Structures are given as C-alpha cells and as structure tokens.
Amino acid sequence: MTPSPVPTTEAGAVAQLPCSGDIGPGSCDIDAGTYVVTSFMEPFEITVPDGWSGGDGGLGKVDDPDHPDEGAVFVGWWPADYVPTDACAWQDALVKLDQSAEAFVEAMTAQTSTASTPLVKVVVGDYSGFEFDHSVKGDVDIAACDRDKFCIHSSFSNECSRWYSNRGERETYRVVDLNGQRAVIWVAQFHPPINPELTREAWVVFHPPINPELMREARAVFDSIVFKSNK
C-alpha cells in the first residue's frame, strides 16, 4: 500500500526530509510518506514506507532489526564528482568529472575492476537519463586495494566517499540529465566486511542474501523518485 503523504502546514505541499546530513539506516527515523529533496539543481520527490531512516544524503533500512550489523539496503544521492579509473587502485587517482550525465556514465562503465550492465534509457519525472547495474568484477581482493577500500566514486578529490566493503555489494544507478547538470541516485544492498580471502561460495554462507522482500521495497523507494521541473 502506498503511504499517505506527511501532513504539512501548506495545503498540497510536500514536506522536506526532516534530517539534514544523516545517511543510512539508524541515523534518523523517517515517518512513512512522500518527501521533497533539494540536493540537486531541480528537486525530486521520494515516497518512503515505514521503517526507513536517513537524511538528505540517502535513506536505508536494515534487513533484520534484531541483527542490524548483518545487512541493509539503501538509496543514496550524495555528490559523485570524482570517479577513479580503477576502483581498487584509486588513491591519488580520483578523476574530476564535468557535470554532464554522460561524463559520469562513461567513467563508471569504463572503470577497471568493476562490471556494468548495458545502459538503459529511463524517464525520471520531467527528465530523462540512464540506468545501469554496477558490481565487483571477479574475485577482487578488497583488502589489497588502496586503504582497504574498493572505491566507486567520491565527493572529494583526496578521499573516497562511496566504496564497497566486500565482493557482494552491488547497486543500480540512475543518472539523470537536468538540462546539462547531472543527478546521480542509486539503490544498493550492503553487508559488512568479512574475510576477503573467502571464495564467493563461502562468502554466501557467512552473508546470506538479503530478504528479497526488502530488496523489492528498496527498489520501490528508488522507483518512486521523480524530478520536478520548476519551469
């Protein structure tokens, strides 16, 4: 069932997310409802069911509230201005991108040590863009990567702000063209790191798949995002 919008003082208005700066499960509880986010040059609306938390950089939900360290899903949209050519050898090699959607897509799909699915054109509210899946390629030893991080992209030139902790992480990206300025949003599943020497088969034993119902819920939150043109 789609949750009802959160009441606001102005009739017909949509509330902004109540937490600023917080990202991920457990950081700030969010009531079920529809919210507006103003992180990009054009705002977007997102509809969230019960049990999600986060702030203006992303929202998430743990797989099992009784075991919050075992896994989670999240929808993120914090800045992604730098992309390393190699996700493993990334230190001092974060490349500044221009603001086009195409620049980010090209950098991500060409990134060494990662695998991307073919691009799909999408419409996200009043704007168009591209969608693709992104994951670790092969049996990369993340512990051998720069600073034990498998860096996907970053908000900074000298530090990684989005990385994978293990080979089981994967994401779906939507890169939206806001009239020449891009917006990057993604939905991901996350497990905490474990012995990187494990094979993929052994890794699954220690990290069982996240509940498919939760993954479907996360995808529904991701799909609810629509950008609204102010023009």
Side-chain angles (χ1 to χ4, degrees), residues 47-125:
T47 299
V48 186
D50 287 324
W52 284 67
S53 56
D56 58 7
L59 302 173
K61 185 175 182 179
V62 296
D63 192 3
D64 182 353
D66 294 328
H67 301 88
D69 295 330
E70 289 190 358
V73 293
F74 70 89
V75 177
W77 55 82
W78 62 86
D81 297 323
Y82 298 84
V83 174
T85 55
D86 187 330
C88 191
W90 59 269
Q91 198 161 12
D92 299 322
L94 292 164
V95 179
K96 173 74 171 180
L97 305 179
D98 66 42
Q99 284 300 307
S100 68
E102 290 79 6
F104 183 82
V105 169
E106 290 172 3
M108 289 284 283
T109 55
Q111 191 176 66
T112 304
S113 303
T114 60
S116 298
T117 57
L119 297 179
V120 176
K121 291 184 178 180
V122 294
V123 175
V124 189

Side-chain angles (χ1 to χ4, degrees), residues 126-139:
D126 295 335
Y127 296 92
S128 60
F130 304 95
E131 180 175 314
F132 61 94
D133 294 344
H134 206 63
S135 60
V136 179
K137 184 177 182 179
D139 290 324

Side-chain angles (χ1 to χ4, degrees), residues 6-19:
V6 173
T8 61
T9 56
E10 182 181 349
V14 179
Q16 290 197 23
L17 284 172
C19 303

